[in-house]
Amino acid sequence: MRDFKLVVIQLAICAIASLAHLLAGGFPLGALLSGDEAARLILVDLRLPRLVLGLVIGASLGLTGAVLQGYFRNPLADPGIVGVTSSAGLGAVIALYFGLGGFLGIGVPLFAILGAATGAAVLLLVAGARASATTLILSGVAVAALANSLTALMMNLSPNPWALSEIAYWLMGSLANASWTEVSVALPLIAAGCFVLAFTARALDALTLGEETARSLGVNLTLLRILCVAGAALAVGGGVAVAGAIGFVGLVAPHLLRRFVDHQPSRLLLPAALGGAALLTAADALIRLLSGQGTPLYLGVATALLGVPFFFWLVRTQTRGPA
């Protein structure tokens, strides 16, 4: 019953954030509802796909963060820890560097998805079949470092300043260019990733007792690791493919909600997804209002500016131990 109330409250928050997101901007509510053609086009072709992407990507980041924090048994874990975000970003940068962004109209998303899949494959190959959570973390850090280094190399060798600026702007993360095409590309991948991650719920509960105890309870740790990495690759890679790198949502959303589900990983998955959706949607609406007519504020920059202080506070809390 308590979980049901939490989900209902979160759905209400998502609805409020969605309404604020749709109404943020130059057209007032009256114009949007009056049947004016320009207002209708702005609402249907610009604001709605941006809202849908914000909700879907935020949900995927929140869910992935909750799963990875449960698997690593560490509240400091987030989707970037397995290198999938960096690998997807590298794939997109390769498309931009070689001018393949217009390939079939989905060049950047396609290469970003391939990058995420490649990063996940390299992670599993490096970590090995029976890697522990610690080994997986170290392997993820190595994969992320490699992807970031190659991304920096591509930027350093960029053939012209326009390509460099396009790469830099894309890496900052934004929903500004969202369209129904991006939704159709990202939604199936993110849905598949979330579907895979949902199967980890019971195993994550057993894992809170330790790996040996979880194994004695019948948990296949190898399968669990594959589900976590593959699900993260699909869910996060699909979002990065169309919106660039957006960080810290997967760290903040699960941590804020964990206390309401008695720190039980399986009960945290749905609330973390809804929390991530509301958080990213509200953040995107806020930056639209703050940007105004001046230089636009990018979503990835805004979430980093908000997330880094929270991360510092969380690290200090973990260092001091429970009060």
Side-chain angles (χ1 to χ4, degrees):
M1 186 65 180
R2 182 180 176 184
D3 290 354
F4 177 75
K5 290 181 179 179
L6 177 61
V7 169
V8 170
I9 292 173
Q10 287 187 286
L11 288 173
I13 294 174
C14 283
I16 295 171
S18 298
L19 182 61
H21 189 280
L22 287 176
L23 298 181
F27 279 79
L29 179 61
L32 293 174
L33 299 179
S34 65
D36 179 74
E37 182 64 17
R40 188 193 69 80
L41 289 175
I42 288 176
L43 179 64
V44 175
D45 294 334
L46 296 178
R47 295 189 183 178
L48 272 179
R50 183 167 179 167
L51 170 62
V52 171
L53 273 183
L55 290 170
V56 171
I57 293 174
S60 70
L61 292 174
L63 175 60
T64 305
V67 169
L68 293 179
Q69 289 176 16
Y71 176 75
F72 293 120
R73 285 165 289 164
N74 189 330
L76 300 179
D78 81 325
I81 201 171
V82 293
V84 172
T85 302
S86 301
S87 299
L90 174 61
V93 167
I94 290 174
L96 294 171
Y97 180 86
F98 289 105
L100 301 175
F103 178 69
L104 298 178
I106 56 170
V108 173
L110 178 62
F111 276 80
I113 294 164
L114 291 175
T118 302
V122 171
L123 172 64
L124 292 175
L125 182 63
V126 171
R130 301 180 62 85
S132 65
T134 301
T135 302
L136 200 62
I137 289 177
L138 294 175
S139 301
V141 170
V143 171
L146 175 62
N148 289 330
S149 299
L150 292 175
T151 298
L153 177 64
M154 301 292 284
M155 296 179 70
N156 183 71
L157 299 178
S158 181
N160 58 69
W162 293 277
L164 178 61
S165 63
E166 188 176 10
I167 291 172
Y169 287 139
W170 189 89
L171 287 174
M172 286 190 284
S174 175
L175 298 175
N177 296 321
S179 69
W180 292 115
T181 300
E182 277 75 22
V183 173
S184 65
V185 170
L187 187 57
L189 294 167
I190 292 175
C194 292
F195 181 76
V196 171
L197 292 174
F199 281 97
T200 66
R202 291 188 177 181
L204 293 177
D205 283 346
L207 197 59
T208 59
L209 303 175
E211 291 188 1
E212 292 301 324
T213 303
R215 190 178 287 110
S216 69
L217 293 174
V219 174
N220 186 331
L221 295 181
T222 300
L223 177 61
L224 175 61
R225 182 174 64 257
I226 293 174
L227 290 177
C228 289
V229 174
L234 287 168
V236 178
V240 173
V242 296
I246 300 173
F248 291 99
V249 175
L251 172 71
V252 175
H255 184 76
L256 291 177
L257 295 162
R258 185 172 287 108
R259 68 187 65 184
F260 298 107
V261 296
D262 299 325
H263 299 265
Q264 186 174 343
S266 62
R267 294 171 57 194
L268 179 62
L269 300 189
L270 179 57
L274 293 174
L279 183 62
L280 192 62
T281 302
D284 192 43
L286 180 61
I287 66 170
R288 285 174 55 200
L289 291 174
L290 293 178
S291 296
Q293 301 299 319
T295 303
L297 179 64
Y298 281 77
L299 182 58
V301 176
T303 57
L305 288 173
L306 295 173
V308 168
F310 179 87
F311 183 77
F312 286 156
W313 172 81
L314 187 55
V315 169
R316 291 291 297 169
T317 302
Q318 294 298 309
T319 302
R320 293 172 181 173

